[in-house]
Amino acid sequence: MTGDARVTGDGRVTVSEFRLLGPVTVCDTAGGIIAPSGPKQRALLATLVLHAGQLLSMDRLVEELWGSAPPANASNALQAHVARLRRLLPAPGHEWISTLPTGYLLAPGRASTDVARFTRLSGQGRAALPHDPGQAAQLLQRALSLWRGPALQDSRHGPLCTTEADRLEEQRLTALEALYEASLQCGRSTGITAGLERLSADHPLRERFYDLLMLALYRGGRQAEALGVYERARRHLITTLGIEPGPALRARLEAILNHCPTLTPPPHQTPPPSPSPSLHQHPSPTARSHPSGPPRRPGPARSRGDRTDLMTSPAPACTADPPALTPLTGATGPSSPAASAPSAGLMGHGTSAGLMDPWASVGVPAGSPGGAGMVAPAAGAGCSDLTGSAGLTGSVGLTDLGGSAGFADPAGVAGSADLAGELARLRARIEELARDQQDLLRRIQREQAVR
């Protein structure tokens, strides 16, 4: 049983904790759970507990339970609900609910609430974050483990409970942000991306989750996917609110493009355990649910074994610099490597115009003044599968999954209709990714020109 167990001097059972972070229940000192049977009783108990020690008028309680359509005998109905709650709460020598001339008052006595414990632990965790991120992560994990579901679940009938539930949900999201920041400060990056993906999908207007996800991906050597996260956030904000991302998210994009040294994890930190998936599986009722996480924009081609974003065993701190990403700062004239390459394509493979995943590097589109040409696919260039260096060709030369048998045209493969269809889909996907990258590069150039 959580909470401080308190028993009267004669050993009789009494209330030890009121629980509001989930379904409204009462925990007694014998380890039992008391749950009011009806939604009106749960809403009444939650309202009284949230305003413990304060007088609540009958009019406010009636509005909380019935809103603008109270019953004809609202006072009598309220009295009946209060009487049922009194019989429900064990009260050896203590009167929990007092009747006053103008309303009712709940006297908490020595009983605590899970809300008070969550507020205390999360506050201590945020305070410890700047100087001891490991300790901060432990405190925040303990605070978030108190949540059993949305705050005041099935009890939000009126303005008092609704306002308090919204406030508590905001505190929960703030604690989650601090927890993931503590994990990143301790050097953990690969074990937390799945949780951040779900949170950014469940709360798409909360830019901080995008920011933390971009940093985690970059530190894990997945900077192309980090750029894709920024584009996803920007597209959603423009579509939903008609605004661009805020200064913090734009600064994170600039830092990733320029490989800012501040993005590297601090040295000699012991990574805390990955945040448990259960800590963010209680979104608000209006939030979307993505049990397996939302689809990610494709990143650089890699084998399946390189995917390490599952919340499994603790991962060591990132010690090596992420793979290089071509920045957009500075002009690339005729003397630049990009302009003098034999075939200045994206991620050229040897001397052929190899086109890897268009999100794998960032260059300047062809035709820009002084820019490195982003060469169109040329005939004769090789195109491998997802595990090789991809280049799109006029004759569609494709290496099979084994990386050895090449063929010129899908129609030339005897009886291989399925493989030909797969080839066509790969070709369309590569062209679509190239168009997406060009759009992103143009937007980044416009933003840099404005600045």
Side-chain angles (χ1 to χ4, degrees):
M1 180 187 70
T2 58
D4 298 330
R6 301 181 179 90
V7 184
T8 59
D10 56 4
R12 289 181 293 175
V13 175
T14 185
V15 172
S16 68
E17 185 175 70
F18 296 98
R19 297 181 175 178
L20 307 179
L21 301 179
V24 177
T25 57
V26 179
C27 183
D28 63 31
T29 52
I33 300 296
I34 304 169
S37 58
K40 291 288 192 295
Q41 287 188 47
R42 291 194 293 269
L44 176 60
L45 177 60
T47 305
L48 291 171
V49 171
L50 289 171
H51 298 83
Q54 303 176 28
L55 173 64
L56 289 175
S57 67
M58 296 187 67
D59 291 340
R60 292 186 70 185
L61 291 174
V62 167
E63 180 186 8
E64 186 69 18
L65 297 185
W66 291 283
S68 59
N73 55 347
S75 298
N76 292 338
L78 179 61
Q79 290 175 5
H81 284 302
V82 171
R84 293 191 188 97
L85 279 182
R86 282 177 173 148
R87 291 193 296 268
L88 190 66
L89 299 176
H94 180 75
E95 183 179 9
W96 293 102
I97 304 175
S98 302
T99 302
L100 300 175
T102 57
Y104 296 95
L105 179 146
L106 184 139
R110 299 178 62 191
S112 63
T113 66
D114 57 355
V115 172
R117 287 201 293 145
F118 168 76
T119 302
R120 174 174 53 83
L121 289 170
S122 60
Q124 291 173 351
R126 292 194 301 273
L129 183 57
H131 57 84
D132 191 350
Q135 177 67 13
Q138 294 179 11
L139 290 168
L140 291 163
Q141 289 260 22
R142 288 173 55 193
L144 289 164
S145 67
L146 296 174
W147 285 72
R148 298 166 290 113
L152 306 174
Q153 185 174 340
D154 300 329
S155 303
R156 289 178 280 187
H157 293 275
L160 297 178
C161 285
T162 300
T163 301
E164 183 64 16
D166 292 341
R167 185 186 71 84
L168 290 172
E169 176 65 10
E170 176 63 27
Q171 289 187 356
R172 185 183 76 92
L173 295 176
T174 301
L176 277 169
E177 291 173 350
L179 174 59
Y180 281 100
E181 182 178 354
S183 298
L184 285 168
Q185 286 191 22
C186 290
R188 172 169 293 282
S189 58
T190 56
I192 65 176
T193 53
L196 286 170
E197 286 277 14
R198 282 193 291 272
L199 288 168
S200 63
D202 289 335
H203 308 279
L205 299 181
R206 205 171 182 94
E207 294 187 33
R208 182 58 173 155
F209 288 135
Y210 292 117
D211 184 17
L212 294 169
L213 177 57
M214 290 174 66
L215 179 58
L217 289 171
Y218 179 85
R219 287 184 177 178
R222 298 160 62 182
Q223 65 269 34
E225 292 176 75
L227 295 175
V229 169
Y230 177 86
E231 175 62 16
R232 171 158 54 101
R234 180 181 181 276
R235 184 165 53 245
H236 190 89
L237 290 170
I238 291 177
T239 302
T240 305
L241 303 177
I243 61 174
E244 292 281 345
L249 206 56
R250 294 200 303 269
R252 183 72 73 192
L253 174 66
E254 286 290 335
I256 290 175
L257 289 173
N258 294 298
H259 302 291
C260 183
T262 59
L263 297 178
T264 58
H268 309 302
Q269 291 282 359
T270 301
S274 295
S276 171
S278 63
L279 297 183
H280 44 73
Q281 287 180 346
H282 302 299
S284 60
T286 57
R288 294 175 295 166
S289 177
H290 295 270
S292 61
R296 289 196 297 266
R297 182 176 292 277
R302 64 182 72 195
S303 64
R304 294 181 184 272
D306 291 338
R307 293 290 185 182
T308 56
D309 58 351
L310 297 178
M311 290 188 183
T312 53
S313 59
C318 182
T319 56
D321 291 333
L325 176 69
T326 306
L328 284 176
T329 55
T332 53
S335 61
S336 66
S340 60
S343 181
L346 291 181
M347 299 292 290
H349 188 66
T351 58
S352 62
L355 178 65
M356 281 193 70
D357 190 335
W359 291 89
S361 69
V362 179
V364 181
S368 300
M374 191 160 59
V375 178
C383 175
S384 72
D385 71 333
L386 296 179
T387 63
S389 60
L392 189 61
T393 74
S395 60
V396 197
L398 182 76
T399 305
D400 68 351
L401 296 180
S404 58
F407 47 90
D409 193 325
V413 181
S416 185
D418 292 342
L419 190 56
E422 183 65 21
L423 174 60
R425 286 191 293 273
L426 284 173
R427 180 168 48 193
R429 181 58 176 159
I430 291 173
E431 293 173 352
E432 178 185 358
L433 291 174
R435 289 193 297 270
D436 287 347
Q437 187 197 26
Q438 291 177 359
D439 292 341
L440 176 61
L441 295 176
R442 282 193 289 269
R443 280 193 288 269
I444 293 174
Q445 284 183 298
R446 286 197 296 270
E447 290 181 3
Q448 289 184 336
V450 171
R451 286 194 292 271

